[in-house]
Amino acid sequence: MAKRYANLALSYAIIAMVFGVFYREFTKFSHFVGQTNLSFLHTHYFMLGMFFFLVLMVVEKAFSFSGQNIGKLLIAYQAGLNITGLGFLMRGLAQVWGTELSRGLDASISGVAGVGHILMGVCIILFLLKIKKRAL
């Protein structure tokens, strides 16, 4: 299982770098100057993707906490991370393009990112409970 966590960490590191380059080049190409949520994609994928799975890899080596239901939890966590990323991407593209969003669409984009954050938060708690159970 530690190898799986290492592979996920590597995958999310690559995704984070791609989003970093995309943010920089897309805003430069669009002649955009200012703040945009596209910048959050890079840091979110590094911290909540790469770093999170690196920590899980080390903890797995120390406590062997991964059981039979860990696959479902991994899928749910990654879904939450990518849903959050989708929210940031939609908001960031609208900001760069200068798109005027209706109140409903604005709330919907915030809702997408919020659902992703909630899903990740629940999964983090479940991961911590699994680790605690195995560590104690």
Side-chain angles (χ1 to χ4, degrees):
M1 195 49 122
K3 185 175 181 179
R4 186 173 184 186
Y5 295 140
N7 288 336
L8 286 168
L10 176 62
S11 298
Y12 281 110
I14 292 168
I15 292 168
M17 287 187 243
V18 166
F19 276 128
V21 170
F22 173 74
Y23 158 68
R24 178 189 160 133
E25 296 304 317
F26 182 69
T27 54
K28 188 170 32 170
F29 177 78
S30 301
H31 305 290
F32 180 80
V33 179
Q35 295 291 102
T36 174
N37 282 21
L38 290 177
S39 66
F40 295 126
L41 285 167
H42 178 68
T43 53
H44 270 68
Y45 275 95
F46 262 129
M47 293 306 295
L48 296 171
M50 182 199 74
F51 187 73
F52 179 77
F53 285 112
L54 283 177
V55 169
L56 282 185
M57 180 186 69
V58 171
V59 173
E60 176 64 25
K61 285 292 206 177
F63 299 115
S64 298
F65 72 92
S66 297
Q68 62 186 22
N69 290 334
I70 203 73
K72 293 175 186 173
L73 191 54
L74 284 172
I75 290 169
Y77 178 82
Q78 291 180 81
L81 175 56
N82 290 300
I83 290 169
T84 300
L86 179 64
F88 284 133
L89 182 65
M90 290 187 305
R91 169 85 59 208
L93 291 174
Q95 290 168 334
V96 171
W97 289 330
T99 305
E100 191 68 35
L101 301 175
S102 67
R103 285 181 46 204
L105 185 56
D106 184 54
S108 296
I109 292 172
S110 295
V112 167
V115 166
H117 276 93
I118 290 167
L119 188 54
M120 276 191 302
V122 167
C123 290
I124 288 171
I125 297 299
L126 293 174
F127 272 118
L128 291 173
L129 289 172
K130 284 184 171 291
I131 292 167
K132 178 184 172 193
K133 183 178 179 181
R134 186 67 181 168
L136 298 179

